[in-house]
Amino acid sequence: MSCGLGAMGWKAAEKLIRHWKILRGDNVMIIRGKDKGETGTIKRVIRSQNRVIVEGKNLIKKHIKGGPDHEGGIFTVEAPLHASNVQVVDPVTGRPCKVGVKYLEDGTKVRVARGTGTSGSIIPRPEILKIRTTPRPTTAGPKDTPMEFVWEQTYDAKTGKGMPDL
């Protein structure tokens, strides 16, 4: 059945979530599974599998074989949960809710708590998203263009100088 999709079958690949409403750093409640009813923070979102990892929840024992550079043993790790098994917690009521999208008067896009028994309040964007997981490089690498070439003017709109002869 392998058709280049890895561990996921082709039916599952068809049903990938296109517009994610759960973000890294969100406070969520687990609504199904062995940790049902517990709340936690999203540690990682695995979009290719429609799964999320909740900090300190859905713990499993993993047997890891030792190697020359690392020690083996039985480790407790967080297993990913399907995105449909978690719901974002309403910041006002503290209950799980659906997430809707709304545009404010000034045109900014915000997430809103939806569903019965919810406050309809704005769900703030997690602060952790402002921190990059891989920091931007501060020094110029071998493939970066030097700054003197970046600022060099190679085209003049008035005279048409610099236009290639096509």
Side-chain angles (χ1 to χ4, degrees), residues 105-130:
E105 288 81 32
D106 60 342
T108 54
K109 185 178 173 182
V110 291
R111 297 183 305 154
V112 180
R114 281 181 53 234
T116 51
T118 58
S119 62
S121 63
I122 292 171
I123 300 168
R125 230 176 128 71
E127 289 292 317
I128 198 165
L129 292 177
K130 292 177 181 152

Side-chain angles (χ1 to χ4, degrees), residues 17-103:
I17 298 170
R18 285 197 177 88
H19 305 290
W20 278 78
K21 291 174 181 169
I22 299 172
L23 303 172
R24 181 169 51 98
D26 268 341
N27 193 19
V28 294
M29 183 178 279
I30 299 169
I31 55 172
R32 278 187 189 84
K34 64 180 181 182
D35 292 325
K36 181 180 176 178
E38 294 182 25
T39 58
T41 311
I42 297 282
K43 190 176 180 181
R44 189 169 158 227
V45 176
I46 309 165
R47 290 176 184 237
S48 62
Q49 298 175 3
N50 285 350
R51 292 179 179 272
V52 293
I53 294 176
V54 182
E55 218 167 283
K57 304 289 179 240
N58 201 29
L59 298 172
I60 58 162
K61 300 270 190 208
K62 191 159 180 123
H63 295 251
I64 296 169
K65 190 177 177 183
D69 53 340
H70 66 279
E71 201 176 305
I74 302 168
F75 297 98
T76 306
V77 292
E78 297 143 341
L81 286 157
H82 197 271
S84 65
N85 295 338
V86 295
Q87 273 190 325
V88 177
V89 172
D90 189 337
V92 176
T93 62
R95 294 178 62 209
C97 66
K98 293 178 183 175
V99 179
V101 177
K102 197 170 163 184
Y103 291 92

